[in-house]
Amino acid sequence: MDKRILDIAAIAAALVAPVFFGPYGHYIMCMATIYAMVSLSLNVLVSEAGLISIGHAGFWAVGAYGSAVLVERVGVPFEVSVVAAAGLAGLVGVVVGLPALRVRGHYLAIATLGFSLVLVHVLYEWDGLTGGRQGMFVQRPSLFGWSLAEDRQAYYLCLAIFGLLVLLVRNFRRSLGGLSINALRQSELAAQCCGIDLAASRLFAFAFSAALTGASGALYGAVLGQLSTDSFTLVVSLSFLTMAVVGGMSSVWGAVLGGLFLAGAPEGLRAFEKWQMLIYGVLLIVFIRVLPKGLASLPERLAPLIGGRR
Amino acid sequence: MTLLSLVVSGLALGSIYALIGVSLVIISKATDVVNFGQGEMAMFGAFLTLTLLRQTDMPLWLAVLATLPIGFLLGALVQLIVVRPIENAPALNVLISTLGLFFVFNSAAGIVWGFDPHPFPSLFELAPITVGGVAVTPASLGIIAVALSVMFALYLFFEKTRWGTAMRAASMNRTAARMMGIRVEHVAVAAWGLAGGLSVISAVLIAPLTFLDQQMMVSIILKGFAGAILGGFSSLPGSVIGCLILGVAETLFGAYVSTSMKDSFAFVLIILVLLLRPSGVFVTNRAKKV
Amino acid sequence: MSPALRVRDLSVYFGGLKAVDGVGFSVEPGVVCGLIGPNGAGKTTLLNCLTRITRPTSGSIEAFGRDVLRLPIHAITRIGMMRTFQNLELFGDLTTLDNIAMGCAHRFRTGLLSELLALPSARRAREAAYGEAEAMLVELGLAEHRDRRVSDLSFGTRKNVELARALCSRPKLMLMDEPAAGLNGAESAELGRRIRRFATERGITVLLVEHDMPLVMSACDKIVVVVQGRKIAEGKPEEIRRNPEVIDAYLGEG
């Protein structure tokens, strides 16, 4: 099948979907889109640059609180605050990326993990800005002064922003810069001999990934309507990574499926009550074994089976 | 509390971290995985020990000794059932699987034993005594003593026994070890088992102080990981020292500066170390051969 | 005119071991210079110093009048230096064309922001880089492998890809680390003719680290001999061939 037809079908489905769901469904769809942005950002960092982060909840928090504070305290329009939040998260990403210049693998994992724990702690203690233990209320998302009071409307805004981010990532993947960062992952030595500045490239990969997650965070706070530091724990960082792997690392499809998974899995498991975490854990273990390249690789895995039946 | 008694309780805390940190290093050297489920496996093992205590009239010291085989079995089974089938998958996938382990053990403990904290009997007296003018708890001293003996036994195992030598060889170069006739698959199981035993000991040592509950190991595994990184992660003695330093530094910071910022302090320390001495405090940088 | 490469009194110590010990030589522009010596003589270490992978203990390196030791590793290609690797360093998951394009990407890159927004300047840069890569692909006879993953290619073909990538950076000074390793006699002779053409047609200065004596003797204008980290001889191929010290060193080895 032509891939383009599939893409168009997916876009159409995303646009029409709200008709079939109620307000709670719309909320879940917002969340799925917001998570998909994070998944996209991890695709850039892990799959393109070959770096790892167990601290993306930290960038998410920077985006969420950054946007909320700008809107609530400074009176900046929401759409501007999303861009600013992305920029702010990107800057923080540069700082967090500094260890990535010298260490990789386990070391980078602990550095990013440590960063997000410390950052969230600081936000928690900073009562005056973030409301600390009580948390803070956040205004609904708005567009050109119109408040998007219903999640159905917010969903379309999320979808539009997700579309923009996808374009950015696609441009990145097709550019010489994207090629260079990809090359750097495969051979640091050869890439540097080809004139690639390792430090600048790594920092950019971190900043770009962090900025995408920051934009997602801004939307998250606004759609949820409130923020507390409980939303940005280590478990959240880990579930981001899980979502990215479950969806599939190397395509936009993977990011979308990952977002749907993270938003949908708790809903699907809710009926199992105290068993839900156990089932979730078992599912993860089985999933990684059965479908290591993520949900996005399902068609290519199924193709031979279907072909065999004909 | 005086400085010295703080140092002692810091060393005790560091010993707990060290047992977990060393288990992570052993697993990582043998199979290239950081097992995020290690702490939960330890907690689960401690619950098994508690059940053993309640169901039988076994004396406490024997139950504590029994933690080793319990932990070994737990670790070895996990390796065979969960990790073995995906050993050639990308590192991130294996990591996600160990997250799955985290959820499985964490919630299984809750389902079987309930979500409330359980008191756990202590081998050592918890009330402080005064030794040479310094107030210390026998529990702290006991934890340090147990951890040190375990580490010494570990050292003897790796340096003096055939199995230990085989494991070291396999962690340095798997292909070469295989050619020398070492069964690398067995080494992987042994490493996970050994790590399982060590971490259950750490859970059983800390449980009397914090109570045994589902969440008790979550922050301890992070500190163990961090401490091991501080010491260079690849060297066992380095990792132990890193964990001890972390325990002491954290305790002193908590007492003199701020209790609530204690955890953040630990991680700021780690990040600084990674920026300044990326290969750890004790590993000297050697020229890399290309 | 300053020489293409001037190495002065270069030493590299690993702990107590002297891998390179006070080596000095220079290579004039357009010259093919061989660097030979028995295994473990320090040739690759020397090459690693030239490309900033290994930091020398003492000594200086100049290329086209620039102090190489003051440049970061990624900047040496900007002054016209490029190298190939003994054991190949390719980007295994990328296609042949992508690999070659990496050779010239740095000459065309625009800003990261323009790349993210896919501005016309970034698109033109990409087209230009891939244009040059395509031309190089054809020139080195790699067209049939254009869209294949490099890690799926044979060793000989991969060597060729690495050479194409290096040439694509339009080097003025090319450092080649045992390019003939793994090639048969005929392939090695072809390589020799190619290296001569680099010098005569493109004016590229070549520093050739090699074990293959027939190749070195036929392709090089001059040869530097290193044994146990020290330079023992330097001169034209026929002088080297007759040099008793060199004969000793090689007979001693074999």
Side-chain angles (χ1 to χ4, degrees), chain A residues 46 52 54 95 98-100 102-103 106-119 121-122 125 188-189 234-235 238-239 241-243 245-246 249 274-282 284-285 288-289 291-293, chain B residues 28 32-34 36 81-82 85-86 89 92-97 99-105 107-108 110-111 115 218 222 225-226 229 232-234 260-265 267-268 270-271 274-280 290:
Chain A
V46 180
I52 193 174
I54 311 189
V95 178
L98 284 176
R102 312 195 52 173
V103 298
H106 304 334
Y107 298 85
L108 188 57
I110 197 85
T112 50
L113 183 156
F115 142 75
S116 70
L117 291 181
V118 172
L119 180 98
H121 192 133
V122 169
E125 298 279 327
E188 284 181 18
L189 205 55
L234 174 61
V235 176
L238 292 172
S239 49
L241 271 179
T242 305
M243 140 179 92
V245 171
V246 166
M249 275 289 182
K274 70 176 182 181
W275 293 86
Q276 54 179 309
M277 288 315 264
L278 184 72
I279 295 170
Y280 183 71
V282 173
L284 271 189
I285 292 170
I288 293 290
R289 188 184 310 189
L291 213 56
K293 285 185 176 167
Chain B
S28 157
D32 278 337
V33 189
V34 171
F36 271 87
I81 297 170
V82 177
I86 52 166
L92 187 62
N93 283 20
V94 187
L95 188 129
I96 301 291
S97 291
L99 282 182
L101 286 175
F102 176 97
F103 290 123
V104 166
F105 281 106
S107 60
I111 291 165
F115 294 88
V218 177
L222 292 183
F225 188 15
I229 292 273
F233 206 69
S234 55
S260 70
M261 293 301 259
K262 198 169 71 170
D263 289 353
S264 289
F265 162 76
F267 282 102
V268 170
I270 301 301
I271 293 172
L274 286 177
L275 281 173
L276 302 176
R277 291 293 308 259
S279 48
V290 181

Side-chain angles (χ1 to χ4, degrees), chain A residues 82-167:
Chain A
V82 174
V83 178
L88 188 62
L91 279 180
V92 177
V94 171
V95 178
V96 179
L98 284 176
L101 302 185
R102 312 195 52 173
V103 298
R104 290 180 73 181
H106 304 334
Y107 298 85
L108 188 57
I110 197 85
T112 50
L113 183 156
F115 142 75
S116 70
L117 291 181
V118 172
L119 180 98
V120 171
H121 192 133
V122 169
L123 288 173
Y124 180 80
E125 298 279 327
W126 198 346
D127 270 357
L129 192 72
T130 66
R133 190 188 301 271
Q134 276 85 39
M136 69 187 288
F137 284 101
V138 186
Q139 281 176 28
R140 290 293 303 173
S142 63
L143 197 60
F144 309 122
W146 296 83
S147 173
L148 307 177
E150 290 176 30
D151 283 335
R152 186 169 50 90
Q153 301 158 330
Y155 168 68
Y156 285 110
L157 178 65
C158 292
L159 208 57
I161 291 181
F162 179 66
L164 285 177
L165 300 187
V166 167
L167 280 181

Side-chain angles (χ1 to χ4, degrees), chain A residues 39-48 51-52 173 240-255 292-297, chain B residues 92-93 96:
Chain A
S39 196
L40 194 66
S41 83
L42 282 169
N43 285 2
V44 169
L45 191 71
V46 180
S47 160
E48 302 290 324
L51 301 169
I52 193 174
R173 283 197 171 126
F240 283 165
L241 271 179
T242 305
M243 140 179 92
V245 171
V246 166
M249 275 289 182
S250 47
S251 66
V252 174
W253 277 99
K293 285 185 176 167
L295 290 169
S297 70
Chain B
L92 187 62
N93 283 20
I96 301 291

